Amino acid sequence: MVISHQHRFIFIKTAKTAGTSIEAFLSPHCGPDDVFTTTRPPVDGHEPRNWKVPFFPLKEFFSFNYPVDKSVFVERRFFTPMRTFDDMRKQRKFHEHIPARIAKMRIDPEIWNSYHKFSVERNPWDKTLSHYHMQKAYRDGNLTLDEYFDEGVFCQNTGFYCDQNGDCMVDEMIKYENLAEGIGGICDRYGIPFEGSLGVRAKGNYRKDRTHYSKVLEKRHLDIIDRVFRKEIEMHGYEFEDRSNTTD
């Protein structure tokens, strides 16, 4: 995540949405007192800073709002103090994918309420395929698409930018499909030079096959995605694009 006191914005990082590339692009344009969390693996140009700070999150010890991985069937949450205690022990006040609902409790209310908060979301069909290829690479190629769907662990991002009631906590949601336009708007707003591209691909290119998702995902896969990502689809107005009968 990023907290820029110089520009007065907060970036809530989601998964499989070029978040690390965005941080690497913003890093040299922000001040020494701004917060940039670490990334894995490290990325050239990205300077983590001010994320490791001693803190005592009293409010969090009475909260159950720390979201964790979700399955097809049930949302599971850690008892928040377990995760909070680990963060406090490591002096990790902020970390790469800290949920907005937790970040809010660790940020001065005046800063949280007055800074512009933004995040990025991606259509669930393309995001799911991208996540599958990443998981497949992690297992040295030993994961079929059907096995991935049977395991039922998907890349759901609403837990990063929504509160425990499912309401969006950021002021602006940029769609990954319109990333250049969205980041360009942020840069225009704060006077950050932007030439139409982030200029960096921060993570490994796990997905070698760029075949459109509608030509890869089968009806069974689509039914699961529709169920698992129903909230994201409705919240952001995503629609399935069928290119199965095209030659591109």
Side-chain angles (χ1 to χ4, degrees):
M1 72 170 300
V2 178
I3 305 173
S4 176
H5 302 297
Q6 177 176 328
H7 299 296
R8 298 175 62 85
F9 68 70
I10 298 172
F11 171 56
I12 298 296
K13 185 176 183 179
T14 50
K16 304 306 297 176
T17 57
T20 302
S21 295
I22 293 170
E23 289 176 331
F25 170 79
L26 291 173
S27 181
H29 299 290
C30 291
D33 296 327
D34 292 348
V35 175
F36 278 77
T37 56
T38 56
T39 62
R40 294 175 294 172
V43 176
D44 290 342
H46 179 277
E47 181 190 345
R49 50 201 187 264
N50 307 314
W51 61 274
K52 190 170 185 178
V53 182
F55 71 107
F56 185 72
L58 181 62
K59 288 189 294 185
E60 291 178 45
F61 284 118
F62 299 95
S63 168
F64 291 83
N65 296 333
Y66 214 123
V68 296
D69 293 338
K70 299 176 182 180
S71 72
V72 174
F73 304 105
V74 63
E75 176 179 345
R76 305 186 301 275
R77 293 180 184 171
F78 279 126
F79 178 44
T80 301
M82 294 171 58
R83 183 66 180 268
T84 296
F85 179 78
D86 189 50
D87 285 348
M88 185 180 68
R89 180 177 60 85
K90 297 176 181 177
Q91 299 184 10
R92 189 175 66 166
K93 186 173 184 179
F94 303 107
H95 56 82
E96 184 175 16
H97 287 296
I98 188 169
R101 65 183 86 169
I102 301 301
K104 181 180 180 180
M105 289 191 282
R106 299 183 186 180
I107 296 174
D108 184 285
E110 184 176 347
I111 291 175
W112 178 267
N113 292 328
S114 63
Y115 284 22
H116 182 71
K117 298 170 287 293
F118 71 98
S119 191
V120 181
E121 187 56 282
R122 184 176 186 175
N123 86 71
W125 304 280
D126 195 48
K127 180 173 64 175
T128 297
L129 202 53
S130 177
H131 188 244
Y132 158 66
H133 281 284
M134 183 180 73
Q135 295 301 316
K136 182 179 179 181
Y138 286 167
R139 304 186 197 186
D140 297 322
N142 298 314
L143 181 69
T144 69
L145 188 60
D146 281 331
E147 288 171 340
Y148 169 82
F149 273 88
D150 287 341
E151 289 182 359
V153 179
F154 302 104
C155 186
Q156 294 171 282
N157 283 330
T158 51
F160 293 124
Y161 55 80
C162 288
D163 63 18
Q164 61 269 28
N165 298 316
D167 295 325
C168 188
M169 297 181 66
V170 299
D171 305 305
E172 180 178 1
M173 287 297 308
I174 295 172
K175 287 189 175 181
Y176 177 87
E177 296 75 21
N178 303 317
L179 187 62
E181 180 181 350
I183 295 300
I186 294 291
C187 290
D188 285 345
R189 180 174 184 150
Y190 298 108
I192 298 173
F194 182 69
E195 297 180 356
S197 171
L198 295 174
V200 57
R201 181 179 288 276
K203 294 288 184 68
N205 187 12
Y206 303 110
R207 184 175 170 184
K208 308 300 181 183
D209 183 355
R210 292 290 171 175
T211 302
H212 191 263
Y213 60 76
S214 64
K215 298 183 180 182
V216 178
L217 300 172
E218 300 175 358
K219 184 180 185 305
R220 178 176 90 89
H221 307 144
L222 299 179
D223 289 343
I224 293 174
I225 290 174
D226 184 71
R227 181 169 74 254
V228 172
F229 293 95
R230 174 48 44 189
K231 181 173 182 59
E232 292 181 20
I233 292 171
E234 293 177 349
M235 179 180 290
H236 305 296
Y238 279 118
E239 296 182 358
F240 179 79
E241 182 182 6
D242 188 356
R243 295 187 190 174
S244 57
N245 294 321
T246 65
T247 57
D248 60 340

